[in-house]
Amino acid sequence: PVLPEGWTAEKDFKAVGEVSAATNRSIEPVGPHFLAHARRKRHRRTFSEDDRI
Amino acid sequence: MSDDESQSRVAIGISFGNSYSSIASTNNDGNTIVIANEDGDRQIPSMLSYVSGEEFHGQQAKSQLVRNPTNTVAYFRDFIGQDFKSIDPTPCSGSAHPKAGSDGATFNIKDTEEDSENTRTISEITTRHLKRLQTSASDYLGKGVNAAVITVPTNFTDKQKEALTASAKEAGIEVLQYIHEPVSAVLAYDARPDAKLSDKIVVVVDIGGIRTDVTVIASRGGLYSILATAHDYDVSGAQFDQALMDHFAKEFIKKHKTDPREDKRALAKLKLESEAVKKALSIGTNASFSVESLVSGIDFTSTINRTRFELIGNKYFASISRLALSAVEKAGLDPLDVSEIICSGGSSHTPKVARSLQSAFPEGIPVLAPATSPTSLNPSELAVRGAAIQASLISEFETEDIDQSTHPMVTAAPHLGKAIGILSISGDESSGVFRPLVEAHTPVPVRRTAQIAVPREGGDVLIKICEGVSQIKVSTPAPQPKAEKKDDEDEDSDEDDSEDEPEEVRERVWKAETVLSEAALRGVKKGAKVEVQLDVAADLSVRVTLRQVGDKGGKGLIGNIKGSAKENGHAS
């Protein structure tokens, strides 16, 4: 959509809401993508850190 | 492959079923091979039989069900690690009966040369079965197999797993990991080289010999979460066989005035041949049934075509579809939310099963079974293939690493309740079009990137990130002018055709809800595209990165939406 006239925000970004509640489930510990997830979680890495390794 | 000096691990995938087991291995090229045993079977009956001290396994043991039923052990997987009170011995009616032992089920069988019965525990039987599977795999691979990933049903308890681990250890097999049968099936499909990862809801219908399991799985970027499961012990391949048995028995009675089902041996023969007929009808449209000396020396031959079989088995096929639909409902989903249906298990070869699922679910949802999809994999091999793939992934890991990675601390993750996406076309939530970027049921942390088109004229653009929910829109199309009724009244009762009542059209639509953030991207070129990247962290904070595609110089725009929990430090 086109920016309405007079719309301003600090650094052009405005957070309005929050993500609604999540449900706790368990991921099936299977497959290459899970193993990558487990690696990130165990080493407390973020996606971008993981990408660089 | 470099073998570790201290202990070289050779791991395979094992699918251990009540009726059949299979073994598979992944070779150096990354291809998964389902291993045939020395009888040439890839689906190896989970049966053991003893004749004067000699052990028979698999198909050879299965043939002994006729002559030597009391020394043949079958359908025992679900007894492992169970109290005797909680097991259902019905499937064992044609083989050795389970007896109550101090620690679960036992079998009294003559398994030595002496003519005396020995009491063997369920764990001993399991060990012997696994040992035979291990031998077959070792012979094929030319090296001793000492580890495995084993598939189990989703309702297999920890106690059962412990018991199975102990039995496997006795057989010299280290169980690296237990994985759930339906998840293994999804992995088998996702591991194909041409498979594309996507966010989808998969329903796995696993029709086994004596049980049917339906599992609804959210597949999100290769991460699988089980949303709902349903188990049914009353409808399975055995009922398909039963339908055929009854059919042929009635035919036999008509000719010879005796019921072969009343004689134990005749019943066993009838059962074996009915299963063979069922399998033949999955491939051809006609099958012949023939048993030598069925009852009192009478040979019996007959034929049946597929249509007839589909007619007599229809109620079972329909109840499998109902089970699948109820599992979807249990997951809080609509059939329209389902992206694909995977048919697994030996009885999924029956064409009508897949077609009945296809018609029970909304049109266009692919049913991956041989009858409905030319690219489907063999349903009997799905679980074992997934296990072999998983085995190849983790066989190099230290046991401690595997345990830590599969620990609940790692597997437990918040899953998004609602989808997060972009509102396009209009800035107003009510009239805009919501495009999901991260679907509901996605575990966090997660990162998703998408490119969106901006208004044609370019300029300054407003980008709104919203939460959205999918809804089912029911609309009734304007009734079509009815064809004039003929004068002569048709007696046929099938009047309620779809022509008569206008059918409701149900479709899945997205509805934008809470706005999470607004951002302005200024001076966007004509016809350009904007790349939107969402990083949802474990604390539900969202990092939004906006960048004009092709705009190398500009760093783009980065904004953070605070999560409900404390904000995580992000390395940028």
Side-chain angles (χ1 to χ4, degrees):
Chain A
V2 180
L3 191 70
E5 293 253 340
W7 188 94
T8 52
E10 195 188 333
K11 286 182 183 165
D12 276 352
F13 185 88
K14 190 159 70 181
V16 185
E18 262 182 17
V19 175
S20 54
T23 44
N24 268 311
R25 290 184 189 281
S26 68
I27 309 170
E28 292 293 306
V30 169
H33 299 274
F34 171 78
L35 293 175
H37 166 87
R39 198 176 58 229
R40 283 193 296 269
K41 196 149 176 173
R42 287 174 58 199
H43 297 109
R44 297 176 195 284
R45 278 189 212 133
T46 61
F47 282 99
S48 34
E49 282 165 352
D50 203 50
D51 285 345
R52 259 178 270 153
I53 293 164
Chain B
M1 276 241 251
S2 63
D3 285 348
D4 200 33
E5 274 175 28
S6 53
Q7 42 135 213
S8 61
R9 194 188 262 160
V10 180
I12 57 166
I14 297 179
S15 128
F16 181 8
N18 282 302
S19 314
Y20 289 91
S21 296
S22 22
I23 41 182
S25 158
T26 304
N27 64 16
N28 293 344
D29 307 331
N31 294 321
T32 304
I33 292 152
V34 181
I35 300 167
N37 70 356
E38 52 284 1
D39 297 333
D41 291 323
R42 287 186 171 79
Q43 270 63 58
I44 304 160
S46 304
M47 293 185 192
L48 287 162
S49 185
Y50 297 87
V51 182
S52 47
E54 199 186 341
E55 183 181 76
F56 292 93
H57 181 245
Q59 193 54 48
Q60 295 188 21
K62 193 166 187 174
S63 326
Q64 294 290 332
L65 282 173
V66 175
R67 296 171 165 278
N68 188 21
T70 51
N71 290 318
T72 304
V73 185
Y75 306 108
F76 57 88
R77 198 272 317 267
D78 279 355
F79 301 165
I80 297 168
Q82 295 268 52
D83 291 333
F84 185 75
K85 273 174 283 173
S86 56
I87 67 169
D88 173 17
T90 320
C92 298
S93 60
S95 56
H97 292 206
K99 302 267 185 312
S102 57
D103 195 26
T106 59
F107 294 90
N108 293 341
I109 44 171
K110 291 178 198 164
D111 59 351
T112 54
E113 282 181 45
E114 282 123 70
D115 197 35
S116 59
E117 283 193 338
N118 294 310
T119 302
R120 300 297 175 203
T121 62
I122 182 71
S123 65
E124 282 175 292
I125 296 293
T126 307
T127 300
R128 290 177 185 183
H129 172 59
L130 291 174
K131 189 90 202 160
R132 294 296 295 253
L133 294 177
Q134 178 198 33
T135 309
S136 300
S138 299
D139 288 350
Y140 175 85
L141 295 171
K143 46 190 174 184
V145 169
N146 53 16
V149 169
I150 302 182
T151 61
V152 292
T154 51
N155 61 351
F156 215 63
T157 61
D158 286 342
K159 200 181 157 206
Q160 286 175 287
K161 287 178 194 168
E162 276 166 30
L164 186 49
T165 304
S167 299
K169 199 178 170 198
E170 280 296 306
I173 300 170
E174 180 196 1
V175 181
L176 300 179
Q177 194 189 348
Y178 288 107
I179 67 174
H180 289 139
E181 286 164 355
V183 181
S184 194
V186 180
L187 180 62
Y189 270 106
D190 277 354
R192 290 180 303 171
D194 54 334
K196 267 188 280 171
L197 271 188
S198 60
D199 291 346
K200 56 194 174 183
I201 299 285
V202 186
V203 176
V204 181
V205 182
D206 182 353
I207 311 163
I210 59 166
R211 58 184 283 176
T212 296
D213 303 276
V214 179
T215 314
V216 183
I217 299 171
S219 168
R220 301 288 184 241
L223 294 175
Y224 313 114
S225 311
I226 291 178
L227 302 180
T229 58
H231 310 279
D232 192 324
Y233 299 86
D234 295 323
V235 174
S236 59
Q239 273 66 42
F240 304 175
D241 298 347
Q242 187 67 45
L244 285 166
M245 283 165 69
D246 293 341
H247 170 80
F248 290 118
K250 274 178 204 153
E251 208 172 298
F252 188 84
I253 294 167
K254 229 182 261 171
K255 275 188 191 158
H256 304 286
K257 312 277 179 255
T258 33
D259 190 343
R261 289 169 296 186
E262 281 163 9
D263 180 76
K264 270 197 167 172
R265 202 147 144 182
L267 182 72
K269 285 183 182 177
L270 196 60
K271 203 172 171 181
L272 283 179
E273 185 66 8
S274 294
E275 194 186 341
V277 165
K278 175 184 74 179
K279 287 180 183 170
L281 286 175
S282 298
I283 302 158
T285 50
N286 267 293
S288 60
F289 174 98
S290 91
V291 176
E292 254 177 57
S293 173
L294 184 56
V295 195
S296 46
I298 308 167
D299 295 352
F300 181 58
T301 27
S302 177
T303 56
I304 186 169
N305 62 25
R306 193 187 276 175
T307 319
R308 179 88 194 139
F309 170 54
E310 289 176 353
L311 210 64
I312 60 178
N314 202 19
K315 63 175 173 188
Y316 303 119
F317 308 143
S319 55
I320 287 171
S321 299
R322 274 200 303 277
L323 186 70
L325 285 168
S326 74
V328 171
E329 195 183 328
K330 208 169 150 188
L333 297 172
D334 188 273
L336 281 166
D337 293 324
V338 175
S339 325
E340 64 187 28
I341 298 166
I342 292 178
C343 287
S344 166
S347 301
S348 294
H349 285 282
T350 301
K352 183 73 181 185
V353 170
R355 283 207 305 275
S356 126
L357 278 167
Q358 201 172 35
S359 52
F361 278 83
E363 241 178 288
I365 296 176
V367 176
L368 301 175
T372 43
S373 162
T375 57
S376 74
L377 299 171
N378 182 346
S380 304
E381 296 181 348
L382 289 176
V384 78
R385 279 178 182 276
I389 293 160
Q390 181 70 8
S392 76
L393 289 173
I394 62 172
S395 64
E396 305 283 303
F397 288 23
E398 301 282 334
T399 311
E400 195 186 324
D401 272 351
I402 301 170
D403 289 346
Q404 277 181 18
S405 296
T406 55
H407 192 271
M409 282 288 281
V410 176
T411 57
H415 287 55
L416 292 178
K418 291 172 181 172
I420 304 174
I422 307 153
L423 193 71
S424 51
I425 309 294
S426 159
D428 187 20
E429 298 94 76
S430 56
S431 58
V433 175
F434 179 77
R435 180 178 159 191
L437 221 59
V438 191
E439 293 249 18
H441 307 299
T442 302
V444 293
V446 64
R447 166 190 284 182
R448 287 286 188 277
T449 311
Q451 293 189 352
I452 54 159
V454 294
R456 219 168 293 135
E457 59 275 22
D460 297 349
V461 194
L462 175 71
I463 290 164
K464 270 191 177 184
I465 305 293
C466 292
E467 273 195 323
V469 288
S470 92
Q471 293 179 326
I472 303 302
K473 197 173 105 186
V474 183
S475 52
T476 318
Q480 286 168 358
K482 273 186 188 170
E484 281 201 18
K485 273 215 166 171
K486 283 180 188 165
D487 290 337
D488 52 326
E489 273 289 305
D490 221 329
E491 283 108 290
D492 281 353
S493 55
D494 45 24
E495 289 265 288
D496 46 350
D497 277 350
S498 51
E499 293 174 0
D500 285 355
E501 42 189 276
E503 227 176 293
E504 284 181 338
V505 179
R506 304 176 79 244
E507 53 182 338
R508 192 171 177 235
V509 290
W510 284 101
K511 188 176 168 292
E513 285 190 338
T514 334
V515 181
L516 298 178
S517 76
E518 293 178 349
L521 209 57
R522 296 178 198 273
V524 177
K525 287 194 207 87
K526 252 188 185 178
K529 286 193 167 182
V530 170
E531 189 182 82
V532 181
Q533 180 177 301
L534 295 182
D535 275 283
V536 188
D539 63 353
L540 297 180
S541 67
V542 187
R543 179 189 184 84
V544 185
T545 314
L546 304 171
R547 194 173 61 87
Q548 190 178 327
V549 173
D551 189 7
K552 295 268 190 238
K555 279 213 80 175
L557 190 120
I558 295 171
N560 281 306
I561 303 165
K562 271 205 188 104
S564 14
K566 188 170 67 98
E567 174 131 35
N568 247 357
H570 256 290
S572 56

Short mmCIF file of all heavy atoms in Angstrom, two decimals, chain B residues 362-405:
data_model
loop_
_atom_site.label_atom_id
_atom_site.label_comp_id
_atom_site.label_asym_id
_atom_site.label_seq_id
_atom_site.Cartn_x
_atom_site.Cartn_y
_atom_site.Cartn_z
N PRO B 362 -11.28 -32.69 0.71
CA PRO B 362 -11.59 -31.77 -0.39
C PRO B 362 -10.75 -32.07 -1.63
O PRO B 362 -9.64 -32.58 -1.53
CB PRO B 362 -11.22 -30.40 0.19
CG PRO B 362 -11.27 -30.58 1.66
CD PRO B 362 -10.93 -31.99 1.94
N GLU B 363 -11.33 -31.71 -2.76
CA GLU B 363 -10.66 -31.98 -4.03
C GLU B 363 -9.31 -31.27 -4.09
O GLU B 363 -9.13 -30.18 -3.55
CB GLU B 363 -11.54 -31.44 -5.16
CG GLU B 363 -11.99 -32.50 -6.12
CD GLU B 363 -12.88 -31.88 -7.17
OE1 GLU B 363 -14.02 -31.54 -6.81
OE2 GLU B 363 -12.43 -31.74 -8.32
N GLY B 364 -8.39 -31.89 -4.75
CA GLY B 364 -7.11 -31.23 -5.00
C GLY B 364 -6.04 -31.51 -3.96
O GLY B 364 -4.89 -31.15 -4.16
N ILE B 365 -6.41 -32.14 -2.84
CA ILE B 365 -5.39 -32.48 -1.85
C ILE B 365 -4.72 -33.77 -2.31
O ILE B 365 -5.37 -34.80 -2.47
CB ILE B 365 -6.01 -32.66 -0.45
CG1 ILE B 365 -6.60 -31.33 0.02
CG2 ILE B 365 -4.96 -33.16 0.55
CD1 ILE B 365 -7.32 -31.40 1.34
N PRO B 366 -3.41 -33.72 -2.58
CA PRO B 366 -2.76 -34.93 -3.08
C PRO B 366 -2.74 -36.06 -2.05
O PRO B 366 -2.46 -35.83 -0.88
CB PRO B 366 -1.34 -34.46 -3.42
CG PRO B 366 -1.16 -33.17 -2.72
CD PRO B 366 -2.50 -32.58 -2.48
N VAL B 367 -3.08 -37.24 -2.51
CA VAL B 367 -3.00 -38.43 -1.67
C VAL B 367 -1.83 -39.25 -2.20
O VAL B 367 -1.86 -39.75 -3.33
CB VAL B 367 -4.31 -39.26 -1.73
CG1 VAL B 367 -4.17 -40.54 -0.92
CG2 VAL B 367 -5.48 -38.44 -1.21
N LEU B 368 -0.77 -39.34 -1.42
CA LEU B 368 0.43 -40.02 -1.88
C LEU B 368 0.32 -41.52 -1.61
O LEU B 368 0.61 -42.00 -0.52
CB LEU B 368 1.67 -39.43 -1.21
CG LEU B 368 1.89 -37.93 -1.46
CD1 LEU B 368 3.07 -37.40 -0.67
CD2 LEU B 368 2.08 -37.66 -2.94
N ALA B 369 -0.16 -42.23 -2.61
CA ALA B 369 -0.28 -43.67 -2.56
C ALA B 369 -0.14 -44.15 -4.00
O ALA B 369 -0.38 -43.38 -4.93
CB ALA B 369 -1.63 -44.08 -1.98
N PRO B 370 0.23 -45.41 -4.21
CA PRO B 370 0.46 -45.87 -5.58
C PRO B 370 -0.75 -45.67 -6.50
O PRO B 370 -0.59 -45.40 -7.68
CB PRO B 370 0.76 -47.36 -5.41
CG PRO B 370 1.22 -47.51 -4.02
CD PRO B 370 0.56 -46.44 -3.22
N ALA B 371 -1.95 -45.79 -5.93
CA ALA B 371 -3.15 -45.72 -6.77
C ALA B 371 -3.48 -44.29 -7.19
O ALA B 371 -4.15 -44.07 -8.19
CB ALA B 371 -4.34 -46.32 -6.03
N THR B 372 -3.05 -43.31 -6.41
CA THR B 372 -3.49 -41.94 -6.67
C THR B 372 -2.36 -41.01 -7.05
O THR B 372 -2.60 -39.86 -7.40
CB THR B 372 -4.19 -41.38 -5.41
OG1 THR B 372 -3.44 -41.74 -4.27
CG2 THR B 372 -5.60 -41.92 -5.28
N SER B 373 -1.13 -41.47 -6.95
CA SER B 373 -0.02 -40.58 -7.30
C SER B 373 1.10 -41.38 -7.96
O SER B 373 1.63 -42.32 -7.36
CB SER B 373 0.50 -39.90 -6.03
OG SER B 373 1.78 -39.38 -6.27
N PRO B 374 1.43 -41.01 -9.20
CA PRO B 374 2.48 -41.78 -9.89
C PRO B 374 3.86 -41.62 -9.26
O PRO B 374 4.73 -42.45 -9.45
CB PRO B 374 2.46 -41.20 -11.31
CG PRO B 374 1.80 -39.87 -11.18
CD PRO B 374 0.88 -39.95 -10.03
N THR B 375 4.04 -40.55 -8.49
CA THR B 375 5.37 -40.31 -7.92
C THR B 375 5.49 -40.83 -6.49
O THR B 375 6.49 -40.59 -5.83
CB THR B 375 5.70 -38.81 -7.91
OG1 THR B 375 4.68 -38.14 -7.19
CG2 THR B 375 5.80 -38.26 -9.31
N SER B 376 4.45 -41.53 -6.03
CA SER B 376 4.49 -41.96 -4.63
C SER B 376 5.56 -43.02 -4.42
O SER B 376 5.94 -43.75 -5.33
CB SER B 376 3.13 -42.51 -4.22
OG SER B 376 2.95 -43.79 -4.79
N LEU B 377 6.03 -43.09 -3.20
CA LEU B 377 6.98 -44.13 -2.82
C LEU B 377 6.19 -45.34 -2.33
O LEU B 377 4.99 -45.25 -2.04
CB LEU B 377 7.89 -43.63 -1.69
CG LEU B 377 8.76 -42.40 -2.01
CD1 LEU B 377 9.43 -41.89 -0.74
CD2 LEU B 377 9.80 -42.73 -3.05
N ASN B 378 6.87 -46.46 -2.24
CA ASN B 378 6.24 -47.68 -1.76
C ASN B 378 5.79 -47.50 -0.31
O ASN B 378 6.62 -47.30 0.58
CB ASN B 378 7.25 -48.82 -1.87
CG ASN B 378 6.68 -50.15 -1.44
OD1 ASN B 378 5.63 -50.21 -0.82
ND2 ASN B 378 7.39 -51.22 -1.77
N PRO B 379 4.47 -47.56 -0.04
CA PRO B 379 3.98 -47.29 1.32
C PRO B 379 4.58 -48.23 2.37
O PRO B 379 4.73 -47.85 3.53
CB PRO B 379 2.47 -47.50 1.23
CG PRO B 379 2.14 -47.60 -0.20
CD PRO B 379 3.39 -47.88 -0.97
N SER B 380 4.92 -49.45 1.97
CA SER B 380 5.48 -50.40 2.92
C SER B 380 6.87 -50.00 3.38
O SER B 380 7.34 -50.44 4.41
CB SER B 380 5.57 -51.79 2.30
OG SER B 380 4.32 -52.20 1.84
N GLU B 381 7.55 -49.19 2.56
CA GLU B 381 8.95 -48.89 2.85
C GLU B 381 9.17 -47.53 3.50
O GLU B 381 10.29 -47.21 3.87
CB GLU B 381 9.76 -48.95 1.54
CG GLU B 381 9.78 -50.33 0.91
CD GLU B 381 10.59 -50.38 -0.36
OE1 GLU B 381 10.97 -49.30 -0.88
OE2 GLU B 381 10.86 -51.49 -0.85
N LEU B 382 8.10 -46.74 3.62
CA LEU B 382 8.28 -45.36 4.08
C LEU B 382 8.96 -45.27 5.45
O LEU B 382 9.94 -44.56 5.62
CB LEU B 382 6.94 -44.65 4.13
CG LEU B 382 6.30 -44.33 2.78
CD1 LEU B 382 4.93 -43.71 2.99
CD2 LEU B 382 7.19 -43.37 2.01
N ALA B 383 8.41 -46.02 6.41
CA ALA B 383 8.92 -45.91 7.78
C ALA B 383 10.39 -46.32 7.84
O ALA B 383 11.22 -45.63 8.45
CB ALA B 383 8.09 -46.76 8.72
N VAL B 384 10.72 -47.42 7.19
CA VAL B 384 12.10 -47.90 7.29
C VAL B 384 13.07 -46.98 6.55
O VAL B 384 14.21 -46.80 6.96
CB VAL B 384 12.20 -49.38 6.83
CG1 VAL B 384 12.19 -49.50 5.32
CG2 VAL B 384 13.46 -50.02 7.40
N ARG B 385 12.60 -46.39 5.46
CA ARG B 385 13.46 -45.44 4.74
C ARG B 385 13.80 -44.24 5.63
O ARG B 385 14.95 -43.83 5.72
CB ARG B 385 12.76 -44.92 3.48
CG ARG B 385 12.85 -45.87 2.32
CD ARG B 385 12.11 -45.33 1.10
NE ARG B 385 12.20 -46.30 0.04
CZ ARG B 385 13.24 -46.37 -0.79
NH1 ARG B 385 14.22 -45.51 -0.69
NH2 ARG B 385 13.29 -47.31 -1.70
N GLY B 386 12.78 -43.70 6.28
CA GLY B 386 13.01 -42.57 7.17
C GLY B 386 13.99 -42.94 8.28
O GLY B 386 14.89 -42.17 8.61
N ALA B 387 13.83 -44.15 8.80
CA ALA B 387 14.72 -44.60 9.88
C ALA B 387 16.16 -44.70 9.38
O ALA B 387 17.10 -44.33 10.08
CB ALA B 387 14.24 -45.94 10.42
N ALA B 388 16.32 -45.20 8.16
CA ALA B 388 17.67 -45.34 7.60
C ALA B 388 18.30 -43.97 7.38
O ALA B 388 19.50 -43.78 7.62
CB ALA B 388 17.62 -46.13 6.30
N ILE B 389 17.50 -43.02 6.92
CA ILE B 389 18.01 -41.66 6.70
C ILE B 389 18.45 -41.06 8.02
O ILE B 389 19.54 -40.50 8.14
CB ILE B 389 16.94 -40.79 6.00
CG1 ILE B 389 16.68 -41.31 4.59
CG2 ILE B 389 17.36 -39.33 5.97
CD1 ILE B 389 15.36 -40.88 4.00
N GLN B 390 17.60 -41.20 9.03
CA GLN B 390 17.94 -40.67 10.35
C GLN B 390 19.19 -41.36 10.89
O GLN B 390 20.06 -40.73 11.47
CB GLN B 390 16.75 -40.85 11.30
CG GLN B 390 16.96 -40.31 12.70
CD GLN B 390 17.01 -38.79 12.74
OE1 GLN B 390 16.74 -38.11 11.75
NE2 GLN B 390 17.37 -38.24 13.89
N ALA B 391 19.29 -42.67 10.66
CA ALA B 391 20.46 -43.42 11.13
C ALA B 391 21.73 -42.86 10.48
O ALA B 391 22.76 -42.70 11.15
CB ALA B 391 20.31 -44.91 10.82
N SER B 392 21.64 -42.55 9.19
CA SER B 392 22.83 -42.05 8.52
C SER B 392 23.19 -40.64 9.02
O SER B 392 24.36 -40.27 9.05
CB SER B 392 22.63 -42.03 7.01
OG SER B 392 21.81 -40.95 6.63
N LEU B 393 22.18 -39.88 9.43
CA LEU B 393 22.44 -38.53 9.92
C LEU B 393 23.15 -38.53 11.27
O LEU B 393 23.98 -37.67 11.55
CB LEU B 393 21.13 -37.74 10.05
CG LEU B 393 20.41 -37.32 8.78
CD1 LEU B 393 19.06 -36.72 9.12
CD2 LEU B 393 21.24 -36.31 8.00
N ILE B 394 22.78 -39.48 12.11
CA ILE B 394 23.29 -39.42 13.49
C ILE B 394 24.32 -40.49 13.81
O ILE B 394 24.85 -40.51 14.91
CB ILE B 394 22.14 -39.49 14.53
CG1 ILE B 394 21.38 -40.81 14.43
CG2 ILE B 394 21.19 -38.31 14.37
CD1 ILE B 394 20.38 -40.99 15.54
N SER B 395 24.63 -41.37 12.86
CA SER B 395 25.51 -42.49 13.22
C SER B 395 26.90 -42.02 13.62
O SER B 395 27.60 -42.71 14.36
CB SER B 395 25.59 -43.50 12.07
OG SER B 395 26.18 -42.90 10.96
N GLU B 396 27.31 -40.85 13.13
CA GLU B 396 28.64 -40.35 13.48
C GLU B 396 28.67 -39.66 14.85
O GLU B 396 29.74 -39.40 15.39
CB GLU B 396 29.13 -39.36 12.41
CG GLU B 396 29.12 -39.92 11.01
CD GLU B 396 30.30 -40.85 10.74
OE1 GLU B 396 31.44 -40.40 10.91
OE2 GLU B 396 30.07 -42.03 10.41
N PHE B 397 27.49 -39.35 15.35
CA PHE B 397 27.41 -38.62 16.61
C PHE B 397 27.79 -39.50 17.79
O PHE B 397 27.63 -40.71 17.76
CB PHE B 397 25.97 -38.13 16.86
CG PHE B 397 25.52 -37.00 16.01
CD1 PHE B 397 26.10 -36.73 14.79
CD2 PHE B 397 24.45 -36.20 16.42
CE1 PHE B 397 25.65 -35.69 13.99
CE2 PHE B 397 23.99 -35.17 15.63
CZ PHE B 397 24.60 -34.91 14.41
N GLU B 398 28.27 -38.84 18.83
CA GLU B 398 28.47 -39.55 20.09
C GLU B 398 27.09 -39.83 20.68
O GLU B 398 26.15 -39.06 20.50
CB GLU B 398 29.23 -38.66 21.08
CG GLU B 398 30.59 -38.20 20.60
CD GLU B 398 31.64 -39.29 20.73
OE1 GLU B 398 31.45 -40.15 21.60
OE2 GLU B 398 32.59 -39.29 19.95
N THR B 399 26.98 -40.93 21.41
CA THR B 399 25.70 -41.27 22.03
C THR B 399 25.19 -40.13 22.91
O THR B 399 24.01 -39.82 22.93
CB THR B 399 25.86 -42.55 22.88
OG1 THR B 399 26.51 -43.52 22.07
CG2 THR B 399 24.51 -43.08 23.30
N GLU B 400 26.15 -39.50 23.59
CA GLU B 400 25.78 -38.40 24.49
C GLU B 400 25.17 -37.24 23.70
O GLU B 400 24.20 -36.62 24.12
CB GLU B 400 27.05 -37.95 25.22
CG GLU B 400 26.80 -37.09 26.43
CD GLU B 400 28.11 -36.56 27.00
OE1 GLU B 400 29.11 -37.32 26.95
OE2 GLU B 400 28.13 -35.41 27.44
N ASP B 401 25.76 -36.98 22.53
CA ASP B 401 25.25 -35.91 21.67
C ASP B 401 23.82 -36.19 21.23
O ASP B 401 22.98 -35.30 21.17
CB ASP B 401 26.13 -35.77 20.43
CG ASP B 401 27.28 -34.82 20.66
OD1 ASP B 401 27.27 -34.16 21.71
OD2 ASP B 401 28.17 -34.76 19.80
N ILE B 402 23.57 -37.44 20.88
CA ILE B 402 22.23 -37.80 20.42
C ILE B 402 21.23 -37.61 21.56
O ILE B 402 20.17 -37.02 21.38
CB ILE B 402 22.18 -39.27 19.94
CG1 ILE B 402 23.18 -39.47 18.78
CG2 ILE B 402 20.79 -39.65 19.51
CD1 ILE B 402 23.38 -40.92 18.39
N ASP B 403 21.62 -38.09 22.75
CA ASP B 403 20.73 -37.95 23.90
C ASP B 403 20.45 -36.49 24.21
O ASP B 403 19.31 -36.12 24.50
CB ASP B 403 21.35 -38.63 25.13
CG ASP B 403 21.34 -40.15 25.00
OD1 ASP B 403 20.64 -40.63 24.10
OD2 ASP B 403 22.03 -40.81 25.78
N GLN B 404 21.50 -35.68 24.13
CA GLN B 404 21.31 -34.26 24.44
C GLN B 404 20.44 -33.56 23.40
O GLN B 404 19.62 -32.72 23.73
CB GLN B 404 22.66 -33.57 24.55
CG GLN B 404 23.28 -33.75 25.92
CD GLN B 404 24.62 -33.03 26.03
OE1 GLN B 404 24.92 -32.16 25.23
NE2 GLN B 404 25.39 -33.42 27.02
N SER B 405 20.64 -33.94 22.14
CA SER B 405 19.89 -33.28 21.07
C SER B 405 18.42 -33.65 21.10
O SER B 405 17.57 -32.89 20.65
CB SER B 405 20.46 -33.64 19.71
OG SER B 405 21.77 -33.17 19.60
#
